[in-house]
Amino acid sequence: MKYYYTLIVILCFFSCSKKEQTQNTASGNNAQKYEEVINELLSKMTLEEKIGQTNLRGTSSRAKTLSDELKQDVRDGKVGALLNVMRTEFVDELQKVAVEESPNKIPLIFARDVIHGFKTMFPIPLGMAASWDADVAKTSSRIAAIESSQVGVRWTFAPMLDIAKDSRWGRIAESPGEDPYLASILGKAYVEGFQGDSLNNATSIAACAKHYIGYGAAIGGRDYNTTVIPNSLLRNVYLPPFEAALRAGSATVMTAFNEINGVPATGNKYLLKDVLRDELHFDGLVVSDWDSVIEMIAHGFATDEKHAGELAANAGLDMEMTSKAYEHHLKNLINEGKVSEAQLNEFVRNILRVKFRLGLFETPYIDKSNEVNFYTKEHLSEAKKAAIKSTVLLKNTKVLPISKQTKIALIGPMAHAPLDQMGTWAFDGEKEHTVTPFEAFKTAQVNFKYVSGLTHSRDQSNTQFKKAITTAKEAEVVVFIAGEEAILSGEAHSRSNIDLPGAQEDLIKALAKTGKPIVLVIMAGRPITITNIIDDVDAVLMSWHPGTMGGEALHDILFGIIEPQGRLPVSWPKTAGQLPYFYNHKNTGRPANKEDYVAMYDIPIGAWQSSLGNDSHYLDIGYTPHFPFGFGLGYTTFSYDAIKVSKDTINFNEDIIVKATVSNTGKRVGKEVVQLYIRDVVGSITRPVKELKRFEHVVLEAGETKDVTFTLSSKDFIFTNNASVRAAEAGDFDVWVGPHAASGLKKSFYLQKK
Ligand code: GLC
């Protein structure tokens, strides 16, 4: 009887706290009440029930029946959360068992990978990063939370915040790109969108900052592979997006598959305890990635399942995804004194705290008060806007925009690929709702003829070439939609050669021979190396995998209804051979430069051995990307003039104002993403040649001029050196304002000692 009294206390506490609670986490005396109630609950739990809470059980979203064994495990309190339960009747039934029959009536959390939309699919995250727009990130995740919470999802495994510098890596598709400043802005926005104004709202879902940490630094871009990340690089590049997500209140964190400097993330006490808990004061729950606990055996870090469980527990992992090292061994590990019950209590506290914050004790069941609303007009409209803002125009020799009456040959394997257009991590998106370019052209009554030319992106046959070429000859413009099927990027899908797969290049070259202008549109999960064909096409648009409304977005861009608005969130390589490449690289002692560089085929035969530029470049492709970080064209042009700094010297507690004049020198209104980069010229460790520190979207009418102003302070120059000193350092600084990382007006100033 006493227990029910406790539960009533809990429920009563939370019903009154719901109104008070405005943050994603309780604050002040609410937080204290939480802890009291959690401790009260903990005191009632047996060791087995505590261990049960640490168990995130994997299930199949395609399961047609609900196993009695799983229900019994829930009834016995052996399960804390469930992954991929996608039938609402199963969610309801399992939650009922937990809340009404389990020993302590603790509700389950239902989790799903809701990465870039649930039913209404938005562009892949790398695409949304190209929007350089926090609102795109926030709106997409808010809509994803609204849609997914309707079927019982209350925890998503997103945002993925892995800085990615290697387009061979399949998961660059899910990443926020190569820059920590842009990634931090997006990470914050995603968390705010998923978690809403308050985590205990029915449409809020717990965010999960993942994969902690350094997953994108995998050697060779090979997924799951080794990373070596010195502490200064960890703190200056990989950690900032996670800090931003935690500051935004991310309720959970997921450990990465990879090892960092020899220690797998899932068993890494320095990262999970010293950094995440002690330094960043994270008080949510940490969950392992799929089986990553027992993968420490394959890593060569654990001898067996039990040892893996011991290492994860002593590192501070709260919840184990899918593997069962905790379920099988935590009780013995505690009895043997290898893990303490106090540690287990801490895990359970973190888990229960998230459940309380989600309001699950008060309202454990799916809110069915509204009719299910997927694919609403508003959701689809936002998905289209996101696709437009994400699309990057890389080349345009005047062929774009196309006038409405133009006769078009629509060709290519991605022109009508409703499933692949959604991209990776689109499990719940339904291809029947995808608007492909073919469908958008048809609906808009465009004057076009469609021939796919290739049945899918990997098609190596040329059997349809003739038909495609004939169609091209009869048209005025060819719109070729190339790219990768969704399965060629995402988890476990790294590629060593990132050219267009199949016979796409051959077909493009064959079409080029017709003399018709070609607009190349790429739908892919990564930058695609197009060095072989760039001269055969007149325009290049990168759509990424643009999601449900990609076809309509592309239609509006092609016909100039709106201009493409994206800017590259990653450097675009000329060849895979130059990867990893990133704009914020170090200068080296022999920085490449155009004065020294001699292209390989220009080297005189028999040249004296040391006669060439002895600096850091490739003989064959030089030392620059094909397109730089931040690059993107529109349908007008801009000029930058008159950069000014408010002072030539500032001290540590002064701001510096940087101003530049931007003009729309074209014939139509346009949007520019004005970017500000700095360089700390000399440091106690070497500093990047450029670092993005500000950007602003500026819309200018044709002929309009505007002064764009940015404010910086010494806080913007803080970095961590190899002595783990985190500070700004006096010295010379350069600052640029411009359209991307490889261009801009430059000024310098001095930060003087205190
Ligand atoms: C996968 C991914 C992770 C995902 C998890 C659950 O292996 O690495 O990002 O959230 O398993 O599906």
Side-chain angles (χ1 to χ4, degrees):
M1 193 53 194
K2 190 165 181 306
Y3 166 72
Y4 284 104
Y5 170 75
T6 309
L7 194 61
I8 290 160
V9 167
I10 291 171
L11 294 178
C12 156
F13 160 72
F14 288 102
S15 57
C16 63
S17 78
K18 180 167 180 164
K19 289 178 277 309
E20 293 153 34
Q21 190 185 7
T22 53
Q23 303 302 320
N24 289 331
T25 56
S27 53
N29 60 357
N30 266 357
Q32 184 46 41
K33 282 180 193 161
Y34 266 147
E35 300 314 310
E36 287 161 15
V37 173
I38 287 170
N39 286 332
E40 168 76 12
L41 201 44
L42 257 177
S43 68
K44 305 213 164 338
M45 295 169 75
T46 64
L47 190 61
E48 289 75 6
E49 287 151 24
K50 292 176 188 175
I51 293 169
Q53 284 301 308
T54 70
N55 181 1
L56 166 55
R57 189 69 67 82
T59 70
S60 163
S61 60
R62 289 177 285 190
K64 298 273 185 292
T65 57
L66 193 52
S67 78
D68 291 336
E69 186 202 349
L70 177 59
K71 279 193 283 188
Q72 191 53 46
D73 283 350
V74 171
R75 190 170 292 113
D76 295 343
K78 291 182 178 172
V79 183
L82 284 159
L83 173 54
N84 296 335
V85 179
M86 299 317 292
R87 285 171 175 252
T88 46
E89 62 274 23
F90 291 177
V91 171
D92 289 341
E93 190 173 346
L94 286 162
Q95 191 69 299
K96 193 167 185 303
V97 169
V99 166
E100 295 183 9
E101 300 175 41
S102 75
N104 279 291
K105 316 290 183 278
I106 298 172
L108 297 161
I109 312 179
F110 290 89
R112 180 71 165 169
D113 291 279
V114 183
I115 309 295
H116 56 107
F118 180 63
K119 294 290 181 180
T120 305
M121 295 313 297
F122 283 75
I124 53 171
L126 188 60
M128 286 199 277
S131 73
W132 286 49
D133 188 336
D135 289 343
V136 166
K138 187 168 181 177
T139 302
S140 68
S141 47
R142 184 80 298 267
I143 287 171
I146 290 167
E147 291 193 350
S148 58
S149 56
Q150 293 173 94
V151 298
V153 173
R154 295 300 310 278
W155 185 15
T156 179
F157 297 137
M160 188 265 219
L161 299 171
D162 301 310
I163 293 297
K165 308 175 180 181
D166 194 324
S167 298
R168 294 172 295 181
W169 188 42
R171 300 195 80 164
I172 196 169
E174 308 166 49
S175 85
E178 71 190 39
D179 179 75
Y181 178 78
L182 177 59
S184 300
I185 288 171
L186 296 168
K188 172 179 181 286
Y190 280 122
V191 170
E192 290 169 349
F194 285 128
Q195 299 194 166
D197 297 335
S198 173
L199 196 50
N200 65 1
N201 287 351
T203 66
S204 297
I205 63 178
C208 183
K210 75 180 186 182
H211 305 80
Y212 186 73
I213 195 167
Y215 189 21
I219 287 181
R222 293 188 293 278
D223 203 2
Y224 314 115
N225 216 289
T226 309
T227 74
V228 179
I229 306 176
N231 191 47
S232 57
L233 188 63
L234 177 84
R235 289 165 182 281
N236 296 330
V237 173
Y238 294 97
L239 196 56
F242 285 88
E243 291 173 283
L246 297 187
R247 281 195 299 271
S250 181
T252 71
V253 169
M254 181 188 295
T255 62
F257 286 121
N258 53 285
E259 66 158 75
I260 300 101
N261 311 331
V263 180
T266 303
N268 198 311
K269 187 171 183 185
Y270 169 67
L271 291 173
L272 297 187
K273 190 167 178 329
D274 302 358
V275 177
L276 196 56
R277 301 288 184 188
D278 298 348
E279 269 187 55
L280 300 180
H281 307 301
F282 176 61
D283 70 352
L285 78 82
V286 178
V287 64
S288 60
D289 200 340
W290 194 288
D291 282 358
S292 62
V293 168
I294 57 172
E295 288 180 7
M296 289 197 278
I297 302 165
H299 272 292
F301 193 67
T303 47
D304 54 24
E305 187 185 62
K306 183 176 177 184
H307 187 212
E310 178 187 348
L311 291 166
N314 286 320
L317 177 79
D318 297 319
M319 187 177 263
E320 180 178 7
M321 184 192 295
T322 55
S323 52
K324 297 189 175 180
Y326 279 14
E327 186 173 335
H328 293 160
H329 305 290
L330 213 39
K331 184 172 181 180
N332 290 340
L333 287 165
I334 289 170
N335 294 339
E336 294 161 17
K338 291 178 178 168
V339 176
S340 71
E341 187 160 0
Q343 284 169 279
L344 174 59
N345 288 344
E346 205 45 37
F347 304 162
V348 178
R349 267 197 201 90
N350 294 331
I351 294 163
L352 293 179
R353 195 173 296 121
V354 172
K355 293 187 176 183
F356 278 126
R357 285 174 176 162
L358 278 164
L360 288 172
F361 282 90
E362 259 182 299
T363 46
Y365 299 110
I366 301 171
D367 175 3
K368 296 184 179 165
S369 51
N370 310 308
E371 83 291 344
V372 169
N373 64 347
F374 301 140
Y375 305 113
T376 65
K377 212 156 151 259
E378 188 220 345
H379 293 180
L380 295 173
S381 161
E382 290 298 343
K384 177 178 174 179
K385 266 191 252 172
I388 289 167
K389 292 180 174 184
S390 305
T391 302
V392 184
L393 179 59
L394 296 172
K395 174 181 180 182
N396 183 20
T397 54
K398 303 274 180 275
V399 65
L400 289 177
I402 302 168
S403 63
K404 188 72 179 159
Q405 300 67 30
T406 307
K407 186 168 184 187
I408 288 172
L410 178 64
I411 303 171
M414 297 297 285
H416 189 40
L419 176 70
D420 292 307
Q421 182 173 308
M422 293 191 285
T424 187
W425 284 120
F427 291 120
D428 299 297
E430 291 154 313
K431 63 185 170 73
E432 295 72 20
H433 290 266
T434 302
V435 179
T436 64
F438 168 75
E439 286 161 333
F441 277 30
K442 227 169 54 178
T443 308
Q445 297 177 327
V446 170
N447 178 10
F448 80 110
K449 192 170 172 197
Y450 166 61
V451 176
S452 66
L454 293 159
T455 51
H456 58 278
S457 72
R458 285 168 290 152
D459 187 352
Q460 299 179 30
S461 67
N462 58 10
T463 50
Q464 297 180 58
F465 278 28
K466 198 164 177 322
K467 195 175 166 197
I469 290 163
T470 307
T471 306
K473 285 178 177 169
E474 293 161 359
E476 294 169 87
V477 174
V478 174
V479 174
F480 190 97
I481 306 191
E484 292 175 317
E485 292 147 82
I487 195 74
L488 301 183
S489 64
E491 182 170 355
H493 303 149
S494 297
R495 295 175 60 201
S496 72
N497 173 335
I498 53 175
D499 292 345
L500 286 172
Q504 296 181 66
E505 287 193 1
D506 298 338
L507 179 51
I508 290 166
K509 286 189 174 298
L511 293 169
K513 290 198 177 99
T514 66
K516 301 290 180 176
I518 298 175
V519 176
L520 173 65
V521 180
I522 302 172
M523 289 192 183
R526 56 166 57 87
I528 295 289
T529 40
I530 51 176
T531 308
N532 300 336
I533 52 167
I534 187 74
D535 296 333
D536 297 303
V537 300
D538 301 79
V540 180
L541 278 165
M542 179 54 166
S543 289
W544 314 100
H545 282 126
T548 304
M549 298 302 286
E552 278 198 22
L554 181 65
H555 166 273
D556 289 6
I557 288 171
L558 288 172
F559 290 98
I561 295 165
I562 192 163
E563 63 172 353
Q565 305 190 6
R567 298 292 184 271
L568 290 179
V570 282
S571 305
W572 190 290
K574 290 171 183 158
T575 74
Q578 69 181 137
L579 294 171
Y581 181 91
F582 42 99
Y583 86 91
N584 44 8
H585 57 77
K586 301 302 187 68
N587 204 35
T588 78
R590 295 197 175 190
N593 58 80
K594 53 180 182 298
E595 288 71 38
D596 287 350
Y597 174 60
V598 179
M600 187 162 89
Y601 287 97
D602 298 337
I603 300 171
I605 304 300
W608 180 251
Q609 180 61 37
S610 61
S611 61
L612 301 177
N614 295 304
D615 43 45
S616 181
H617 60 255
Y618 295 101
L619 289 178
D620 46 1
I621 59 152
Y623 54 92
T624 58
H626 200 160
F627 302 100
F629 174 83
F631 181 82
L633 302 171
Y635 287 157
T636 186
T637 51
F638 293 94
S639 70
Y640 286 73
D641 310 295
I643 184 171
K644 289 191 181 67
V645 289
S646 54
K647 291 191 159 189
D648 295 332
T649 300
I650 61 166
N651 59 41
F652 276 72
N653 56 12
E654 272 186 301
D655 289 349
I656 182 164
I657 314 290
V658 184
K659 182 170 78 172
T661 303
V662 184
S663 303
N664 179 342
T665 50
K667 296 188 172 55
R668 63 177 274 169
V669 64
K671 181 170 86 170
E672 175 74 324
V673 181
V674 181
Q675 300 160 39
L676 179 144
Y677 296 86
I678 66 154
R679 181 185 179 192
D680 184 348
V681 181
V682 177
S684 54
I685 58 172
T686 57
R687 307 294 301 119
V689 294
K690 277 190 179 177
E691 292 176 89
L692 178 72
K693 289 295 179 184
R694 297 285 187 279
F695 61 86
E696 185 178 324
H697 293 240
V698 175
V699 177
L700 294 177
E701 294 297 335
E704 187 181 357
T705 291
K706 178 179 181 184
D707 285 346
V708 181
T709 305
F710 299 104
T711 302
L712 296 170
S713 75
S714 60
K715 289 189 195 65
D716 294 298
F717 316 140
I718 289 172
F719 67 96
T720 299
N721 66 15
N722 292 346
S724 295
V725 173
R726 185 157 182 75
E729 297 177 0
D732 290 309
F733 284 80
D734 296 332
V735 59
W736 293 262
V737 174
H740 51 74
S743 165
L745 299 177
K746 178 181 172 183
K747 272 288 186 189
S748 300
F749 62 90
Y750 186 77
L751 174 64
Q752 68 183 4
K753 286 188 183 0
K754 288 170 188 163

